[in-house]
Amino acid sequence: MSFSDFHGNNEVIRRLREMLSRDRFPHGVILAGPQGAGKYTLALMLARTMNCLGTRQSRGGTTGQSEEGYIGADGLPDFCGICDNCRRIGESQDLDARFAEAVEAREGLRETDKRETRLMVQTHPDVLVIPPDPPQMMIKVDQVRHVNAAIRYKPAAARKRVFVFSDAAFMKEAANALLKSLEEPPEYGVIFLLTRNPGELLPTVRSRCAGFTLDALPVDEIESYLIRARPDGTVEQRRLAARLSGGALGRALSIDLEQYVAARKDALVLLRSAVIGNDHSDLFRVTETYRGGVEGKEKTDKLLAAIYSLLRDAMALISGTPELVRNTDIAAELKSMAGAVDFNWLAQAARQVGQVQSGMRRNLLRPLSLDAFSLGLDKIG
Ligand SMILES: [Zn+2]
């Protein structure tokens, strides 16, 4: 594994690696981009490059100083992927699994210890991943205080001490606490802030970091990547995954199409029932299968996401931009739906999806709020 495994955004990657080669890497880095764009993958690749023990080639400068470092085939700093540092940092790559382990470990503690235990993922002594803390899914001030203390220690087994905030949603107090480390970082300290929307970070945090954005990739680029990564899928499946990904490779790879198509089938029943609006027996048959609890919530979330994606497609058709349609495999069905509604109806429907979502947060009975969504839409059309 190396940087050649990172897909797209070549210019940003090159700039970051060049800064490493000149030993001018910033202490605070904001990596922005949509979910699944590769922000976390990139941060861990950079962390490995900073600390790779591979010795294929040394970074010798004209000054005669010989610095440790691994150089890739393209002449820029890279990582070997197999040395002890690379391997251990790489173990953090499956963030969902590491996160679940960390949460579970904390759940096993006594109540008093639980409150004091900050959620962290650490597979290497010098590289710390700080995920948002549930249930609020925000970075809390105690997590940042831990970073502020840890960054004072020199690296034990690496050259740089790296901190990765995997989703930079900070509680206000936490963001303020972070300023301390961003203002006076030790020479070996690097802090990554990953975010979908850098505008949500405090201006004082942003001004102390260098910002880089990973852009969405073109649909055909993702499709041709999927041909190599998912050779078992059909052309239709790859096209759908590429379009649903919104230009984010990670999302294209992780989309469970079977699950999506099932949710979309239900979404179509709900919308059809709302559009036609006389016989609701199909609607009730569907909504009955949506229950409460964690599992029910997941299923309902997927349904609502599918409704959104159908509404967007109908909107694209109505506004004369059919090239933006994502659910290309059900074009005929979409066309007939778009023909039966207007822009206002779609806007209202999108708002009502939002209401169902906030209703779910208040723990209303799910099937009921779904019925209300579809029945409520009748009256608009
Ligand atoms: Zn290595």
Side-chain angles (χ1 to χ4, degrees), residues 48-49 51-55 70 78-87 159:
R48 271 173 284 187
T49 304
N51 296 312
C52 180
L53 303 169
T55 51
Y70 186 85
D78 213 320
F79 58 99
C80 75
I82 49 174
C83 72
D84 198 46
N85 280 349
C86 280
R87 201 179 41 73
R159 292 185 288 276

Side-chain angles (χ1 to χ4, degrees), residues 104-176:
E104 204 181 305
R106 183 166 66 179
E107 284 309 303
L109 297 172
R110 290 177 305 144
E111 271 315 311
T112 45
D113 297 335
K114 213 185 276 185
R115 268 196 299 277
E116 285 160 19
T117 304
R118 307 146 197 102
L119 207 65
M120 305 280 168
V121 169
Q122 186 162 33
T123 57
H124 184 285
D126 300 313
V127 178
L128 194 63
V129 176
I130 308 99
D133 201 334
Q136 301 95 331
M137 294 312 277
M138 303 278 280
I139 303 283
K140 294 181 182 155
V141 68
D142 279 346
Q143 290 173 292
V144 175
R145 284 195 186 123
H146 180 79
V147 170
N148 287 343
I151 202 171
R152 299 292 138 202
Y153 293 95
K154 287 199 168 150
R159 292 185 288 276
K160 299 275 187 196
R161 246 170 119 68
V162 183
F163 300 86
V164 181
F165 288 92
S166 61
D167 185 357
F170 287 92
M171 311 271 277
K172 187 127 197 271
E173 207 188 346
N176 283 320

Side-chain angles (χ1 to χ4, degrees), residues 130-336:
I130 308 99
D133 201 334
Q136 301 95 331
M137 294 312 277
M138 303 278 280
I139 303 283
K140 294 181 182 155
V141 68
D142 279 346
Q143 290 173 292
V144 175
R145 284 195 186 123
H146 180 79
V147 170
N148 287 343
I151 202 171
R152 299 292 138 202
Y153 293 95
K154 287 199 168 150
R159 292 185 288 276
K160 299 275 187 196
R161 246 170 119 68
V162 183
F163 300 86
V164 181
F165 288 92
S166 61
D167 185 357
F170 287 92
M171 311 271 277
K172 187 127 197 271
E173 207 188 346
N176 283 320
L178 184 68
L179 287 174
K180 189 169 160 340
S181 284
L182 289 174
E183 274 161 10
E184 305 156 23
E187 176 240 324
Y188 50 78
V190 177
I191 298 174
F192 286 103
L193 303 176
L194 316 189
T195 178
R196 268 168 278 184
N197 180 11
E200 280 171 12
L201 292 166
L202 282 185
T204 41
V205 167
R206 281 205 307 272
S207 68
R208 284 166 178 80
C209 294
F212 299 87
T213 302
L214 297 181
D215 290 322
L217 302 184
V219 173
D220 51 348
E221 212 170 291
I222 293 189
E223 247 185 277
S224 58
Y225 177 83
L226 289 178
I227 292 175
R228 275 169 287 151
R230 290 279 159 81
D232 47 325
T234 66
V235 178
E236 270 303 321
Q237 284 169 335
R238 283 194 290 266
R239 183 168 303 154
L240 184 58
R243 287 184 169 260
L244 290 173
S245 73
L249 199 58
R251 222 147 80 196
L253 284 170
S254 63
I255 285 172
D256 184 333
L257 278 185
E258 213 169 295
Q259 230 170 35
Y260 173 77
V261 169
R264 189 180 64 181
K265 206 171 134 215
D266 288 351
L268 280 167
V269 172
L270 256 73
L271 287 173
R272 226 182 281 134
S273 169
V275 172
I276 303 164
N278 44 14
D279 176 19
H280 296 299
S281 49
D282 283 345
L283 168 69
F284 296 139
R285 239 194 322 276
V286 165
T287 55
E288 224 188 39
T289 67
Y290 287 78
R291 305 273 169 201
V294 179
E295 217 171 288
K297 186 187 177 306
E298 239 169 70
K299 192 177 168 192
T300 311
D301 281 340
K302 293 207 163 74
L303 173 73
L304 295 176
I307 294 178
Y308 257 132
S309 112
L310 292 170
L311 292 174
R312 264 175 75 146
D313 282 357
M315 201 90 82
L317 286 175
I318 285 180
S319 50
T321 49
E323 68 277 10
L324 295 181
V325 168
R326 296 178 168 200
N327 296 281
T328 41
D329 55 324
I330 51 163
E333 181 121 17
L334 279 172
K335 220 172 266 175
S336 94

